[in-house]
Amino acid sequence: MKQLTFLLLFLVTSLCLSQTENQSSLTIDQIMQGEDFVGYLPTDIEWSDDSKNIYFSWNPDNDTIRSTYEVNINTKKINKRSFEALKNSSSSGDFSKDFKWKVYEKGGDLFLQNTTDFTSKRITNTLDRESNPKFSGDQKSIIYQQSNNLYQWNIEDGTTKQLTDFKSGKEKPESKLNEQDQWLEDDQFENITILGKRKNESDARKYRREKAQFERPETVYYGDKNLFGLNISPDLNYVVYRLYAAPNNKNTNVPSYVTESGYTTDLNTRPKVGSEQYTYESWIFNVKTGKHYQIKTDDIEGIKDKPKFLKEYAENPSEYKEEYENPREVEISNPMFSEDGKALVNITSSDYKDRWIMTVDLSDGSLKLIDRQHDDAWIGGPGVGWFSSPAMGWLDDETIWFKSEKTGYAHLYSANVNSGKIKALTEGNFEILDVNLSKYKKTFYLISNKVSPHEQHFYHLPTSGGKMTQITSKKGGHEVTVSPDEKQLAIRYSYTNKPWELFVMPNKAGAEMTQLTTSTTKDFESYNWIDSEIINFTARDGASVPATLYKPKTDKKNGAAVIFVHGAGYLQNVHYWWPSYFREYMFHNILVDNGYTVLAIDFRASSGYGRDWRTGIYRHMGGKDLNDQVDGAKYLVEQQGIDKDRLGIYGGSYGGFITLMALFTSPETFKSGAALRSVADWAHYNHGYTANILNTPVEDPKAYEQSSPIYFAEGLKGNLLMLHGMIDTNVHFQDVVRLSQRLIELKKENWELAVFPLEDHSFVESSSWSDEYRRIFKLFQETLRK
């Protein structure tokens, strides 16, 4: 009996030890399989032309790659689309004013579709690529681009006409004889009569050939620049074209060591922030007169204004001038034409501080200001700039719509281009995230976080203004695609612990969403995923900071906590929909099963919370954004009973950068951290992202010095694990190598570097993901557990 009791005690003790090592029914190898474990969720949602079927990318059978499927919204039957069906289906295009016809490009050829019976006629069948087809203003022809020129296809008789003749280089001048040779030639004609006779005959033949030639477009030479952005006015009288000059910058080489050939190859990647940038010009070609002239921005409001930060570097502030002597460089967008031929453009300054919405007088290229948006930090926000293209367009021949952050949140506005009067169509402490116009321009279809920063819903709004009508109602995230007849909605919906699935519902408030797909695997469904809690804590400056809290059961709580830092900076991770960081979400479930509390913060810089939250990191990354992590740690200690000596932190890309800054500048807060694909020195990152936030290293060195981890490496006291793909063409492997050398020179010992020879910035292989997260889990197990 004693032996049996001892045996049972031994078995229980062994079981407890095993559960202490890993108390989760999940494994890291499982969750890091990604879609193979979760399921291949529906993506790339499109409607059939007749609004009866929804097309989407899917892989329910775990095939080698995804395929395109279709589901009938009435029968709910799902089928894989055949190659023949894919070849014969239409794509997005341009509709005639009466919506009876659609022209579209597919495979480099053009097609004209009858939207009554959905039959298509092939317009071109060439080896050259035709693109950007549009109906002419009179609806009698199709205008399209081939190579660097515009063509017109007559719908009635099928004839094709070339409208432009753009050529690189310069027109060759007529050769002119020098004085000596001219004398010789004149002497020949004077003394040899036959030579004069033959020249007269040659000139006569040339004259007659020229007179007998067909009418051709005027040749426009655009020099040594590059041509792009060809657009023509609805009346076909004006062509607006853009030119760019590419800088001669030095790019960073990224060596690829594991290759098919067995030889090391260099990947030629981007230059660094502060390098010379592309320059742009916009021109107008008057088809009737043959004249071409540049759209000049030299005199637009504020074009010479200097950024405010420059005054800090003035040697003599009392003599500092607020304006440059010369205008700033700008980029002018492609024009958007009203039906009566007015042209609308968006203009952005090269220093990212200003945006001008203007109309262009096509007859002379002059500009008229509709709205100027200025930000001492940088222009951005959904549908405004930076991470998204400016959203705007015409409502009628006098009225435009656009977005602005002038209230601190991205909202929708209209403006009368004649009077200049601007009207706010939406307002409040929320953002309009996406905007589309209904077919006849009577209704805006909106995605907004009006209900909560953590939910996204679909709305209707009259284009004249008024009440936003909420159409979707289920708590979570909704990605909506409206059917061509605008009667139905294809919706990708998800919740915190329920991955994206495809639904359909009538396009009206109060309608029911019907689920069409079930994509998750049995293995995924077998686990009870955490419905994590969204909380807010108060930062040191009084700001209310949103975060997702993952709490273990009381009997499992080990007193340690991990903070996760999302990437990109301008990204949202605290919300009620299935996260883009789904592997990390599942890893947090494993951490919770092992007793850890996890906090994931939407720190200063995150998207979804307005302009001030977005620009809170201006000129100091690793300032308020890092403080939010440290204050989050304080919240965990004071409100969640976490041991202040057992806090870890991890994240990738921007999250890796914050992890480095946390261990280097707040070593008393975090005992250990894992920094994945981290930026170690912002002066080595790209221009388009970094110069918005920190300006350039030459103009604003203070910003780079206070924002780059490499300057603070001496502060490392805790345990640091760095992980980086060796063929990372975004955050270069060179960054982590330079930081490693710095740590070596500082004689730091408590750090490790794991490298992944076949991974870019975004890891692809499940073996790499697994290795990465096994190391992270081991770090926390060895440094945070008692």
Side-chain angles (χ1 to χ4, degrees):
M1 187 69 179
K2 289 182 179 179
Q3 289 178 333
L4 180 60
T5 303
F6 177 79
L7 179 61
L8 288 171
L9 181 62
F10 174 78
L11 289 172
V12 169
T13 304
S14 298
L15 180 61
C16 289
L17 285 172
S18 175
Q19 288 178 336
T20 301
E21 290 173 5
N22 187 353
Q23 297 175 7
S24 177
S25 60
L26 291 171
T27 68
I28 289 174
D29 285 346
Q30 270 184 308
I31 65 173
M32 293 303 155
Q33 292 175 38
E35 289 183 313
D36 285 340
F37 173 70
V38 176
Y40 286 80
L41 312 180
T43 61
D44 302 329
I45 312 302
E46 294 181 10
W47 280 92
S48 62
D49 294 315
D50 61 8
S51 300
K52 294 179 180 179
N53 298 287
I54 301 171
Y55 304 142
F56 57 99
S57 173
W58 208 31
N59 189 10
D61 301 323
N62 204 19
D63 200 354
T64 307
I65 59 173
R66 285 173 169 266
S67 298
T68 302
Y69 285 75
E70 66 179 357
V71 56
N72 184 282
I73 63 171
N74 295 317
T75 67
K76 313 299 186 291
K77 185 177 180 181
I78 300 178
N79 294 302
K80 184 186 290 189
R81 302 200 74 204
S82 67
F83 292 124
E84 191 66 22
L86 291 171
K87 185 172 72 172
N88 292 328
S89 62
S90 74
S91 59
S92 60
D94 186 52
F95 286 91
S96 58
K97 290 178 182 178
D98 58 10
F99 289 96
K100 291 182 179 180
W101 299 92
K102 179 177 80 169
V103 62
Y104 62 94
E105 176 262 327
K106 189 170 185 178
D109 289 327
L110 305 183
F111 297 81
L112 182 64
Q113 182 189 71
N114 183 322
T115 60
T116 303
D117 59 12
F118 304 108
T119 56
S120 292
K121 175 181 180 178
R122 191 171 192 162
I123 298 174
T124 64
N125 186 355
T126 69
L127 294 178
D128 287 334
R129 180 175 180 266
E130 291 82 38
S131 61
N132 304 322
K134 294 188 181 299
F135 285 91
S136 59
D138 62 9
Q139 307 291 285
K140 294 180 180 180
S141 57
I142 305 297
I143 312 301
Y144 64 92
Q145 183 174 339
Q146 186 185 83
S147 298
N148 278 337
N149 281 297
L150 294 174
Y151 293 79
Q152 178 183 16
W153 180 77
N154 188 289
I155 296 174
E156 184 177 355
D157 62 24
T159 57
T160 300
K161 176 183 178 182
Q162 185 169 338
L163 297 176
T164 64
D165 183 29
F166 286 101
K167 291 182 178 179
S168 62
K170 297 180 180 179
E171 185 176 7
K172 292 181 179 179
E174 290 186 15
S175 59
K176 187 175 182 181
L177 299 177
N178 60 37
E179 187 176 2
Q180 167 68 13
D181 290 343
Q182 187 64 56
W183 183 91
L184 287 172
E185 184 180 279
D186 292 342
D187 187 63
Q188 289 291 90
F189 285 133
E190 183 176 342
N191 291 295
I192 312 293
T193 306
I194 295 299
L195 291 177
K197 176 177 177 293
R198 289 179 179 178
K199 185 178 184 306
N200 289 336
E201 291 171 351
S202 175
D203 290 345
R205 283 192 294 270
K206 180 181 177 183
Y207 174 80
R208 293 184 183 186
R209 280 198 308 271
E210 290 174 350
K211 287 298 182 182
Q213 284 183 346
F214 294 113
E215 181 183 353
R216 301 294 186 189
E218 177 109 6
T219 300
V220 177
Y221 292 92
Y222 52 87
D224 58 358
K225 294 183 173 63
N226 300 280
L227 176 72
F228 75 117
L230 279 176
N231 285 272
I232 193 165
S233 59
D235 60 11
L236 310 186
N237 288 334
Y238 299 96
V239 174
V240 181
Y241 61 99
R242 301 166 69 191
L243 303 176
Y244 73 87
N248 185 24
N249 284 324
K250 185 175 183 179
N251 293 340
T252 301
N253 287 327
V254 174
S256 178
Y257 292 98
V258 183
T259 63
E260 292 181 4
S261 68
Y263 292 92
T264 300
T265 59
D266 283 338
L267 306 177
N268 187 25
T269 63
R270 57 165 174 79
K272 301 181 190 294
V273 60
S275 59
E276 186 182 352
Q277 297 301 297
Y278 284 75
T279 56
Y280 300 93
E281 298 174 359
S282 290
W283 291 74
I284 299 172
F285 172 57
N286 187 316
V287 177
K288 287 187 174 181
T289 66
K291 293 181 179 179
H292 54 107
Y293 34 90
Q294 188 175 356
I295 301 175
K296 291 282 191 177
T297 58
D298 296 356
D299 298 320
I300 62 176
E301 178 184 303
I303 191 62
K304 294 182 178 180
D305 290 355
K306 289 181 180 178
K308 285 191 175 181
F309 77 88
L310 287 177
K311 194 169 185 178
E312 291 184 24
Y313 296 97
E315 293 182 5
N316 190 342
S318 62
E319 297 180 2
Y320 178 77
K321 294 181 179 179
E322 302 288 345
E323 291 188 344
Y324 293 110
E325 291 185 8
N326 297 314
R328 286 176 285 167
E329 292 285 344
V330 299
E331 182 177 359
I332 304 174
S333 71
N334 288 337
M336 305 180 74
F337 295 108
S338 62
E339 289 189 6
D340 66 355
K342 296 186 184 74
L344 176 71
V345 294
N346 181 83
I347 303 175
T348 307
S349 63
S350 61
D351 61 8
Y352 312 111
K353 311 296 183 188
D354 283 278
R355 175 194 181 197
W356 298 266
I357 298 172
M358 309 189 81
T359 55
V360 184
D361 186 334
L362 296 174
S363 66
D364 59 11
S366 59
L367 293 161
K368 177 183 177 181
L369 181 65
I370 305 300
D371 186 60
R372 179 191 176 190
Q373 299 172 23
H374 173 81
D375 198 311
D376 287 339
W378 75 95
I379 292 289
V384 179
W386 198 37
F387 267 60
S388 63
S389 300
M392 61 184 195
W394 291 93
L395 293 175
D396 55 45
D397 289 339
E398 293 184 348
T399 313
I400 65 166
W401 65 271
F402 63 93
K403 293 182 70 179
S404 171
E405 278 190 322
K406 66 172 62 177
T407 65
Y409 294 87
H411 278 292
L412 191 58
Y413 296 83
S414 65
N416 184 295
V417 297
N418 295 321
S419 67
K421 184 178 180 181
I422 295 174
K423 177 182 179 181
L425 300 176
T426 61
E427 59 182 354
N429 293 346
F430 61 90
E431 296 204 298
I432 303 300
L433 302 169
D434 190 41
V435 183
N436 284 287
L437 264 178
S438 65
K439 187 183 290 184
Y440 294 105
K441 299 185 178 182
K442 299 296 182 183
T443 303
F444 285 114
Y445 295 139
L446 309 176
I447 296 289
S448 176
N449 59 5
K450 183 178 180 181
V451 169
S452 158
H454 315 301
E455 294 185 51
Q456 293 184 357
H457 286 282
F458 182 70
Y459 295 82
H460 289 181
L461 174 70
T463 53
S464 57
K467 181 183 176 182
M468 287 174 61
T469 302
Q470 185 176 335
I471 306 302
T472 55
S473 58
K474 203 168 183 178
K475 188 175 183 178
H478 301 78
E479 297 177 358
V480 179
T481 306
V482 182
S483 63
D485 64 8
E486 301 187 329
K487 295 179 181 179
Q488 299 287 331
L489 305 176
I491 301 174
R492 248 183 36 119
Y493 167 80
S494 71
Y495 182 67
T496 305
N497 58 357
K498 293 180 174 59
W500 297 99
E501 295 290 0
L502 180 60
F503 292 73
V504 66
M505 71 173 283
N507 188 11
K508 58 183 180 182
E512 183 180 349
M513 284 201 319
T514 301
Q515 186 169 340
L516 299 174
T517 61
T518 300
S519 310
T520 48
T521 66
K522 289 181 181 179
D523 286 342
F524 177 85
E525 293 292 343
S526 68
Y527 182 82
N528 185 23
W529 299 100
I530 295 174
D531 183 0
S532 49
E533 177 186 359
I534 293 180
I535 59 96
N536 285 75
F537 62 85
T538 302
R540 66 192 68 184
D541 61 357
S544 180
V545 182
T548 302
L549 180 65
Y550 301 77
K551 294 194 295 186
K553 293 179 180 179
T554 304
D555 61 339
K556 285 189 175 183
K557 187 173 181 179
N558 65 13
V562 172
I563 289 179
F564 170 66
V565 190
H566 69 68
Y570 192 62
L571 180 146
Q572 186 174 4
N573 191 46
V574 177
H575 48 62
Y576 290 115
W577 60 87
W578 185 246
S580 56
Y581 287 102
F582 66 94
R583 287 183 180 87
E584 289 77 359
Y585 165 80
M586 294 189 290
F587 179 60
H588 298 160
N589 277 258
I590 289 180
L591 288 176
V592 167
D593 286 346
N594 282 272
Y596 294 91
T597 301
V598 180
L599 192 67
I601 303 169
D602 269 352
F603 48 88
R604 247 64 72 93
S606 301
S607 64
Y609 305 96
R611 181 265 172 196
D612 290 349
W613 207 260
R614 171 177 65 82
T615 61
I617 58 170
Y618 178 57
R619 300 188 68 209
H620 192 184
M621 292 192 275
K624 291 180 180 179
D625 47 358
L626 175 59
N627 290 343
D628 289 343
Q629 317 302 324
V630 176
D631 294 341
K634 181 181 178 184
Y635 160 82
L636 288 171
V637 172
E638 296 178 353
Q639 302 295 323
Q640 297 299 323
I642 298 302
D643 184 339
K644 67 180 180 63
D645 296 321
R646 292 195 289 141
L647 282 159
I649 186 170
Y650 89 102
S653 196
Y654 197 98
F657 148 71
I658 287 290
T659 298
L660 293 176
M661 289 294 274
L663 291 184
F664 293 171
T665 66
S666 297
E668 71 287 347
T669 302
F670 298 103
K671 189 171 184 180
S672 60
L676 296 66
R677 46 195 174 275
S678 317
V679 176
D681 187 344
W682 286 108
H684 288 255
Y685 196 50
N686 69 38
H687 188 90
Y689 179 92
T690 319
N692 278 273
I693 305 170
L694 300 180
N695 305 305
T696 66
V698 171
E699 288 188 317
D700 201 358
K702 293 177 185 176
Y704 284 81
E705 289 170 9
Q706 68 184 0
S707 299
S708 297
I710 199 167
Y711 292 101
F712 302 95
E714 191 168 357
L716 177 64
K717 293 179 181 177
N719 303 277
L720 170 62
L721 169 63
M722 298 185 293
L723 310 103
H724 214 111
M726 294 181 72
I727 53 173
D728 191 334
T729 57
N730 181 11
V731 180
H732 298 153
F733 184 61
Q734 179 194 33
D735 229 29
V736 76
V737 172
R738 292 178 65 247
L739 179 58
S740 297
Q741 180 60 31
R742 178 69 178 142
L743 293 170
I744 291 168
E745 292 178 6
L746 289 169
K747 297 181 174 58
K748 299 293 181 179
E749 297 180 353
N750 50 337
W751 63 278
E752 292 181 0
L753 172 62
V755 301
F756 300 85
L758 281 174
E759 296 295 353
D760 199 333
H761 194 63
S762 298
F763 280 21
V764 174
E765 304 301 331
S766 60
S767 57
S768 301
W769 280 104
S770 294
D771 184 89
E772 186 176 45
Y773 275 81
R774 282 197 304 269
R775 293 174 187 274
I776 296 170
F777 184 68
K778 180 182 178 184
L779 171 73
F780 293 144
Q781 289 284 80
E782 291 180 349
T783 60
L784 302 183
R785 291 184 69 96
K786 280 189 176 179

